[in-house]
Amino acid sequence: MNAAIIGAGIAGIAASIRLAVRGYSVDVFEANTYPGGKLSSFDQNGYRFDAGPSLFTMPHLVDELFRLAGRNPQDYFSYIRLDETCRYFWDDGTHLTAWANHDAFGREVAEKLGEPAEHLHAHLQDSARKFDVTEKLFLHRSLHKASTWLNRDALRGYWHLPRLGVFGTMNGANERRFRNPKLVQLFNRYATYNGSDPYQTPALMNIIPHLEYNIGAFFPKEGMIGITNSLVKLAEDLGVRFYYNTRVTEVMTEGKRVVELRVEHRGQTTSLSLPPAPGPLLFDVVISNMDVVNTFRKLLPNARQPERILKQPKSSSGLIFYWGIRQTFPQLGLHNIFFSNDYKTEFDYLFRRHELYHDPTIYLNITSKHKPDDAPPGCENWFILLNAPNNTGQDWDAIIAEARQNVIRKLSHNLAVDIAPLIETEAILDPRSIEFKTSSSQGALYGNSSNNRFAAFLRHANFSREFDNLYFVGGSVHPGGGIPLCLLSAKIATEIIP
Ligand code: FAD
């Protein structure tokens, strides 16, 4: 049996491994010259930067792929569990460290914010309980198969439904839980882990902190790119063939089957033919890891378009500054957040006005804290992420210029030093370039937004209803974006394949 995969994003790579383990002969076609899509990295003037994701959670989903293939994960990939998950900063001088140890974190919130530690413990327990109910129901199965809704886990889910937080907002639940608005803000930020707005997204999204605080936050010893590299190595060891610089330009169909892929390789268009069933097929199965909107719009323009799903509002995007900084900052850790003074207005700007607020929340990631060779001696590699509206044709050059000034001003204030002269190298990624580099609709980081309670049902299924041998994986389809969910999409899709 043969399978073709369109795109070597993390979900495409994971799907290739799962199919190879099942004995498929697998070809992966990737438009870029490198694998990983958003999960890639680059070097610049002596600095190394992870280009996209910086927070690694649920590492067991990566390990699972090595075990599935009968390999020892440690032979390919290693990571550490972080003692401290994040350092938080507010402009009024408040600093807070989120420790992995719940008691230490509880003491910190009591001491710095006057919030009883029990409130924190109750929140994290509630997060674990919600996750436990929803994981089996939503995350490991297709929502689009009757069997998902008619088993024991589903019945348990219905029973817990009123307490899952489907009906209120995340912000509403967090305001009821915590006294101190800073802690509300801290936990509201988890909405951004799937590109949503805490003032709109359902309280059910309070399952997200469970990943970071109860399961843990991790750091791959080679940086985030270690995830991509080790999984590509595993796939290649299993016989998967990767064709880089090879863009799929059209999916040809006949009746209820995909029969042919058109690909463009270094400017040359070739046709990989799939004879129609029941004859021998070159590819028995095609999996698209390309954003589902563009899979339909660009590769299948003549097929029926699932408009309702394709037209859903997209998640937020990101504006990233990669800065080589010629100084070290002991007060900073691997993950750092500098909060906006008006979080509500920041999200109004992002989701209603589709603009960037002048006082944005800044996420600063510094891998050289754990991997010193990512920066020259005495320097640090700063990855600065601002949540940004998705691309609707804004004047990005003007937005970037203004945002750069605002970031420099805010960080300089918080770190009590002028940052501007310390920047010795710079690269920028914005919603336009995210869209261009990974074919993500509107440059959204996580496909459709999860700003309403039906969001899970408004993502495309992991299979096509129209074509029997076409499947979908990646951040734009069920169960959603982010590395763990992308890995699960590969599991769900390949388990559906007969
Ligand atoms: P993508 O990474 O979107 O890749 C799709 C691939 O398909 C690309 O390589 C593209 O070139 C290829 N492709 C598309 N069309 C074609 C075609 N026609 N022919 C051939 N190839 C094609 N997640 C986390 O878990 N933690 C984080 O901290 C985090 N932070 C993030 C920060 C940033 C700045 C970004 C951009 C993302 C972040 N994410 C994070 C989200 C995470 O990166 C994504 O959800 C995930 O990597 C998406 O993987 P994917 O499999 O959907 O494929």
Side-chain angles (χ1 to χ4, degrees), residues 62-334:
V62 177
D63 289 345
E64 182 184 328
L65 293 167
F66 295 106
R67 296 214 173 87
L68 206 63
R71 313 289 164 110
N72 179 359
Q74 273 103 51
D75 291 344
Y76 288 81
F77 178 57
S78 50
Y79 51 85
I80 55 163
R81 191 177 202 274
L82 299 172
D83 290 337
E84 122 189 346
T85 53
C86 191
R87 296 188 190 181
Y88 293 96
F89 300 80
W90 283 267
D91 282 357
D92 66 4
T94 309
H95 298 174
L96 182 93
T97 300
W99 299 102
N101 178 296
H102 288 193
D103 290 334
F105 190 20
R107 280 194 297 276
E108 183 87 356
V109 298
E111 218 172 87
K112 302 275 178 65
L113 303 179
E115 184 82 36
E118 303 79 65
H119 293 181
L120 174 76
H121 298 317
H123 195 64
L124 297 181
Q125 274 163 17
D126 190 42
S127 181
R129 190 180 53 78
K130 286 190 166 100
F131 183 83
D132 185 45
V133 175
T134 47
E135 183 193 22
K136 294 186 192 81
L137 189 57
F138 289 106
L139 303 185
H140 286 264
R141 295 193 171 111
S142 171
L143 289 187
H144 308 83
K145 297 276 182 195
S147 56
T148 300
W149 302 102
L150 301 171
N151 64 63
R152 232 180 34 187
D153 293 327
L155 296 176
R156 210 173 133 234
Y158 303 145
W159 173 255
H160 287 281
L161 200 62
R163 275 155 296 160
L164 286 180
V166 180
F167 300 106
T169 67
M170 174 186 258
N171 176 65
N174 291 345
E175 279 187 342
R176 280 192 298 280
R177 173 84 68 193
F178 300 114
R179 285 184 204 154
N180 191 312
K182 288 190 168 72
L183 209 53
V184 174
Q185 188 174 27
L186 189 154
F187 279 101
N188 276 355
R189 192 181 72 88
Y190 287 92
T192 66
Y193 282 29
N194 64 14
S196 303
D197 173 352
Y199 303 92
Q200 295 185 56
T201 202
L204 175 61
M205 291 303 157
N206 274 329
I207 63 172
I208 298 173
H210 171 70
L211 308 185
E212 203 169 299
Y213 293 103
N214 296 330
I215 301 177
F218 298 82
F219 180 73
K221 285 192 175 155
E222 299 304 316
M224 296 299 283
I225 190 62
I227 304 172
T228 297
N229 288 345
S230 60
L231 290 180
V232 168
K233 168 91 173 59
L234 172 65
E236 286 175 341
D237 286 353
L238 296 172
V240 174
R241 290 170 296 273
F242 287 85
Y243 303 89
Y244 297 111
N245 217 359
T246 304
R247 180 180 296 279
V248 175
T249 52
E250 207 171 343
V251 173
M252 311 297 287
T253 61
E254 215 171 271
K256 284 181 72 67
R257 292 190 79 77
V258 168
V259 290
E260 189 178 312
L261 292 187
R262 297 253 163 97
V263 304
E264 207 174 71
H265 177 70
R266 293 202 186 98
Q268 255 185 337
T269 304
T270 56
S271 188
L272 299 166
S273 287
L274 306 176
L281 295 179
L282 186 55
F283 296 116
D284 300 283
V285 161
V286 172
I287 299 182
S288 179
N289 179 208
M290 185 187 194
D291 183 293
V292 70
V293 174
N294 287 325
T295 302
F296 276 97
R297 302 285 193 232
K298 295 187 176 164
L299 306 187
L300 288 158
N302 300 322
R304 189 186 61 78
Q305 308 281 301
E307 292 297 343
R308 187 153 163 266
I309 286 174
L310 303 188
K311 284 190 173 151
Q312 284 302 309
K314 298 290 163 269
S315 79
S316 57
S317 184
L319 170 58
I320 300 98
F321 296 100
Y322 309 89
W323 286 345
I325 296 285
R326 55 163 159 264
Q327 189 172 313
T328 54
F329 289 83
Q331 67 270 51
L332 298 175
L334 172 66

